[in-house]
Amino acid sequence: MASKSLHYQGNHTFSKTEKGYIVYPKSLNIVWGNDKSYWKLPNYEKDDAELIQVNWLEVTGCIDNTNIAKKISYEIGFTMSLMTDAFGWRDSPVYLMAKWGDNTQWRKVNLTTEINGKKMISKTIKITKGKGNNTDKIYFGLYEVWNKKWKGGLKIHSVNLTET
């Protein structure tokens, strides 16, 4: 008998905005997301995803739209907040990743410089269209998989892709 995956597969939907796209947490893939001791997943499309505790943070998604290939570049940022009881972030910088065609970018983000309990937009990562296959898809992710320390108290509100 097959066991249920502990990893949450998002519904991969997104909404068009005036200057780009917005992706809500229900659309994201979340490693360990189907285990309630690690994540509180959104019930509705625009609800937040709440990290209870993990030592492997991996949240990914993608925009798959033929209109993307007509553009030159996007800035991508996760809208998220740390709750007042957040822990484990001091020595755990996270990394934003974006991939478009054959172009991949990484950016280090220190969440402990942000004010607890306030919504904030992370530092953005800019991606320009690469060559090759998949220029109608932009992949993005939020990672902290290297230090293996427990961390928690993070809420993810949305991912924003803004045309530049």
Side-chain angles (χ1 to χ4, degrees):
M1 183 169 158
S3 64
K4 181 180 173 187
S5 172
L6 294 176
H7 305 309
Y8 174 77
Q9 293 294 314
N11 63 20
H12 303 280
T13 61
F14 53 89
S15 300
K16 180 82 174 112
T17 64
E18 189 176 315
K19 290 283 220 168
Y21 300 90
I22 189 165
V23 179
Y24 293 104
K26 198 157 183 72
S27 299
L28 301 172
N29 300 323
I30 302 174
V31 170
W32 304 116
N34 278 336
D35 188 321
K36 292 181 181 188
S37 61
Y38 298 130
W39 283 91
K40 180 181 174 192
L41 293 176
N43 291 320
Y44 301 102
E45 192 64 32
K46 294 183 179 179
D47 286 354
D48 303 334
E50 182 180 326
L51 171 62
I52 308 299
Q53 65 174 359
V54 293
N55 62 7
W56 181 284
L57 176 70
E58 183 175 335
V59 178
T60 61
C62 103
I63 297 284
D64 184 357
N65 187 319
T66 55
N67 291 325
I68 285 175
K70 299 173 186 173
K71 305 300 178 187
I72 304 288
S73 64
Y74 283 87
E75 284 200 358
I76 301 172
F78 279 74
T79 304
M80 54 193 162
S81 58
L82 290 175
M83 299 182 307
T84 54
D85 60 351
F87 62 93
W89 299 104
R90 182 174 310 158
D91 298 321
S92 301
V94 299
Y95 289 83
L96 297 176
M97 181 279 301
K99 181 177 184 344
W100 192 3
D102 64 357
N103 186 11
T104 303
Q105 299 291 320
W106 288 88
R107 180 150 193 197
K108 184 177 178 179
V109 177
N110 185 350
L111 296 182
T112 58
T113 61
E114 306 303 333
I115 299 171
N116 287 347
K118 305 273 182 164
K119 269 192 183 181
M120 54 90 175
I121 295 178
S122 71
K123 295 176 184 175
T124 57
I125 184 169
K126 187 172 183 174
I127 187 76
T128 55
K129 182 168 50 176
K131 296 182 183 348
N133 296 330
N134 291 330
T135 58
D136 59 346
K137 291 182 183 178
I138 297 177
Y139 298 92
F140 48 85
L142 179 70
Y143 301 87
E144 199 300 294
V145 299
W146 297 277
N147 82 5
K148 304 203 184 337
K149 292 183 182 177
W150 289 96
K151 55 206 129 306
L154 175 71
K155 282 189 178 183
I156 299 175
H157 307 288
S158 64
V159 181
N160 305 282
L161 289 84
T162 306
E163 299 169 10
T164 58

